[in-house]
C-alpha cells in the first residue's frame, strides 16, 4: 500500500515538477543555465545618424502614399477590379435566379410526393396539428438532433476560445460584472422584475404548444434565453449563478440531448414509417398529444435557451 507523501516530499518528485512546468508556474531553464549579463548597448553617433536617415528615406519612398506612383496605380486598379467583380457576381446570381421555377407552379420540383405526404398524413402519423413540428420532430427528427448537437458543440468551442483564466483575474467578480453597466440600475431592475417572469412563462407556453400552433422548441427556447439575458443584465452574474452555472448548463444539455437520442434512435434506422413505439398519439388538439413530440420539443427548448445565455455570458466575461 502506497504511503501518503508530505507536501515537502511531494515537491521533490518529478510529477510535481512536470505539473508546475505544464501549468507554466516555473520555467525549467531558470537556474539551470549559465546566464551572463549583457553589456549596455551604446550606438555610435555615425551609425545612429545613418539609421535615422535610412528610416526617413524608407518612410518617404514606401509610406508616402500621396506621392507614391505605384501605390496610387494599384489603388485605382484595386477599385476597378472590385467593382467588376461585384458586377460579374451579381450577373451570375441573377442569371441563376432566372432559371428558378416560378412560385406556385404545380410542376415545381418541391411539389412532389414527399410534401404531399407531409400535408396529407402528418396529423395521422404524428398526432401534431402543427405540420412543421410534426415534420421536424418526427419525419426529420434526425436533422433536428444534429442541429441541437451543433448548438452544444458551438458553445463548447466558444468556451474553449473565450474562457477566462481564474489565475489571471485582476478584478473582483462583482467589479468585473458591473464594469460595463450601470451600478444597481433601479429602472432596469424594476422592469426586469416584471418582464422576466412573463418572458419565461411565454417561452414555456410556446414550447408546450409547439405541436398545436406555430412555435416549438427553437422559438420558445430563444424566448427563454432572452429572459435569462435580461435577468443577468439587471441583477448581474452573482445572482443568476445561484441557479444557473456552467455545471447547470452542461447537465441540462447532456440530459436533453441524451433523452432525445434515446427516444428517437429507433426511427433513425427505420425511415419515415418507423416502428411503432406504442405511445398513444392522443387526440389532435389536446396539450398532451402527438406522442414523443411534446417531450422532444421540451428538450430542444432547454438546449436552445441554455445555449443563448451561454453565448452571451462567455462573450461578456469569458465564462458563466
Amino acid at each position: 500500500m502506497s504511503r501518503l507523501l508530505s507536501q515537502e516530499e511531494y515537491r521533490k518528485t518529478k510529477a510535481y515538477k512536470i505539473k508546475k512546468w505544464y501549468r507554466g508556474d516555473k520555467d525549467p531553464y531558470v537556474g539551470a543555465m549559465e546566464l551572463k549579463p549583457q553589456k549596455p548597448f551604446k550606438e555610435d553617433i555615425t551609425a545612429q545618424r545613418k539609421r535615422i536617415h535610412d528610416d526617413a528615406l524608407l518612410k518617404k519612398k514606401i509610406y508616402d502614399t500621396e506621392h507614391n506612383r505605384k501605390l496610387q496605380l494599384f489603388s485605382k486598379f484595386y477599385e476597378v477590379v472590385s467593382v467588376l467583380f461585384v458586377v460579374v457576381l451579381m450577373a451570375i446570381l441573377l442569371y441563376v435566379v432566372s432559371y428558378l421555377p416560378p412560385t406556385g407552379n404545380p410542376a415545381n420540383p418541391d411539389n412532389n410526393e414527399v410534401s404531399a405526404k407531409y400535408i396529407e398524413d402528418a396529423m395521422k402519423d404524428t398526432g401534431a396539428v402543427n405540420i412543421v413540428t410534426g415534420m421536424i420532430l418526427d419525419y426529420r427528427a434526425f436533422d433536428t438532433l444534429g442541429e441541437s448537437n451543433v448548438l452544444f458543440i458551438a458553445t463548447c468551442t466558444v468556451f474553449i476560445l473565450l474562457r477566462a483564466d481564474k489565475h489571471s483575474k485582476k478584478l473582483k467578480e462583482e467589479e468585473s460584472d458591473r464594469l460595463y453597466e450601470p451600478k444597481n440600475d433601479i429602472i432596469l431592475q424594476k422592469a426586469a422584475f416584471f418582464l422576466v417572469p412573463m418572458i419565461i412563462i411565454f417561452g414555456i407556453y410556446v414550447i408546450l404548444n409547439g405541436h398545436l400552433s406555430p412555435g416549438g422548441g427553437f422559438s420558445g427556447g430563444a424566448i427563454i434565453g432572452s429572459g435569462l439575458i435580461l435577468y443577468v443584465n439587471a441583477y448581474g452574474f452573482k445572482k443568476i449563478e445561484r441557479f444557473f452555472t456552467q455545471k447547470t448548463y452542461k447537465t441540462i444539455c447532456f440530459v436533453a440531448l441524451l433523452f432525445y437520442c434515446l427516444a428517437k434512435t429507433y426511427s433513425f434506422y427505420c425511415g419515415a414509417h418507423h416502428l411503432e413505439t406504442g405511445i398513444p398519439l392522443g387526440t389532435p388538439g389536446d396539450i398532451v398529444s402527438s406522442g414523443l413530440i411534446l417531450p422532444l420539443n421540451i428538450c430542444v427548448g432547454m438546449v436552445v435557451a441554455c445555449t443563448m445565455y451561454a453565448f452571451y455570458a462567455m462573450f461578456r466575461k469569458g465564462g458563466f
Side-chain angles (χ1 to χ4, degrees):
M1 185 174 181
S2 60
R3 181 174 63 87
L4 182 64
L5 298 178
S6 64
Q7 191 68 17
E8 296 181 357
E9 292 176 334
Y10 174 65
R11 292 177 184 236
K12 296 178 181 180
T13 60
K14 291 184 178 180
Y16 177 75
K17 295 178 181 179
I18 293 174
K19 179 181 177 181
K20 290 192 68 176
W21 170 79
Y22 177 75
R23 295 178 58 180
D25 297 336
K26 182 180 179 181
D27 193 338
Y29 296 105
V30 174
M33 297 181 61
E34 182 180 0
L35 301 177
K36 294 182 179 180
Q38 295 183 351
K39 296 180 180 180
F41 175 74
K42 293 183 179 180
E43 188 177 13
D44 183 48
I45 187 66
T46 306
Q48 184 179 7
R49 290 177 178 175
K50 186 176 185 305
R51 178 175 57 80
I52 295 174
H53 176 267
D54 292 342
D55 291 343
L57 186 64
L58 182 66
K59 291 180 180 179
K60 182 178 179 181
K61 293 292 185 181
I62 296 179
Y63 298 103
D64 186 9
T65 57
E66 296 181 358
H67 303 88
N68 193 325
R69 180 68 176 173
K70 293 183 179 179
L71 185 60
Q72 291 177 354
L73 291 175
F74 177 77
S75 299
K76 293 180 180 179
F77 175 77
Y78 181 81
E79 294 174 358
V80 173
V81 171
S82 300
V83 173
L84 289 176
F85 175 78
V86 172
V87 171
V88 172
L89 180 61
M90 291 175 60
I92 293 174
L93 293 177
L94 292 174
Y95 178 76
V96 173
V97 169
S98 65
Y99 278 88
L100 292 177
T103 304
N105 186 2
N108 287 348
D110 57 327
N111 294 327
N112 51 28
E113 63 276 5
V114 177
S115 58
K117 170 67 179 177
Y118 290 159
I119 296 172
E120 295 172 3
D121 298 335
M123 185 180 297
K124 180 181 66 176
D125 292 341
T126 66
V129 178
N130 185 359
I131 298 177
V132 176
T133 301
M135 180 182 65
I136 65 175
L137 289 177
D138 192 276
Y139 293 120
R140 303 179 65 84
F142 184 74
D143 296 343
T144 307
L145 176 63
E147 294 166 4
S148 302
N149 277 281
V150 165
L151 293 176
F152 180 70
I153 295 171
T155 309
C156 295
T157 306
V158 173
F159 178 73
I160 294 172
L161 296 175
L162 298 181
R163 65 175 181 173
D165 188 2
K166 296 181 180 179
H167 301 287
S168 63
K169 285 185 177 179
K170 297 181 181 179
L171 299 175
K172 295 181 181 179
E173 185 176 359
E174 183 64 19
E175 295 174 351
S176 172
D177 179 24
R178 297 296 187 174
L179 187 59
Y180 298 109
E181 64 182 25
K183 181 69 174 178
N184 297 327
D185 190 335
I186 190 66
I187 298 177
L188 178 60
Q189 290 180 353
K190 289 299 181 182
F193 178 79
F194 291 100
L195 290 177
V196 170
M198 291 190 289
I199 292 173
I200 293 178
I201 292 174
F202 179 64
I204 295 173
Y205 165 80
V206 173
I207 293 175
L208 296 182
N209 287 269
H211 58 296
L212 305 177
S213 60
F218 287 102
S219 52
I223 295 171
I224 296 176
S226 64
L228 295 174
I229 293 173
L230 175 59
Y231 183 90
V232 76
N233 274 306
Y235 298 102
F237 286 98
K238 188 175 182 180
K239 285 193 174 182
I240 199 172
E241 285 176 356
R242 294 177 182 175
F243 61 90
F244 196 102
T245 61
Q246 181 181 338
K247 185 177 180 181
T248 309
Y249 166 77
K250 292 179 180 178
T251 303
I252 292 176
C253 288
F254 176 76
V255 172
L257 292 174
L258 181 63
F259 174 81
Y260 191 116
C261 184
L262 294 178
K264 295 297 292 183
T265 299
Y266 71 95
S267 66
F268 300 158
Y269 303 99
C270 301
H273 286 286
H274 43 70
L275 299 176
E276 295 296 334
T277 61
I279 300 175
L281 299 179
T283 304
D286 292 348
I287 187 67
V288 182
S289 61
S290 69
L292 288 173
I293 289 181
L294 178 58
L296 293 181
N297 250 333
I298 296 174
C299 292
V300 173
M302 291 191 298
V303 172
V304 173
C306 294
T307 301
M308 279 193 61
Y309 170 74
F311 275 141
Y312 176 82
M314 287 186 293
F315 275 102
R316 175 169 164 178
K317 72 167 190 173
F320 59 95

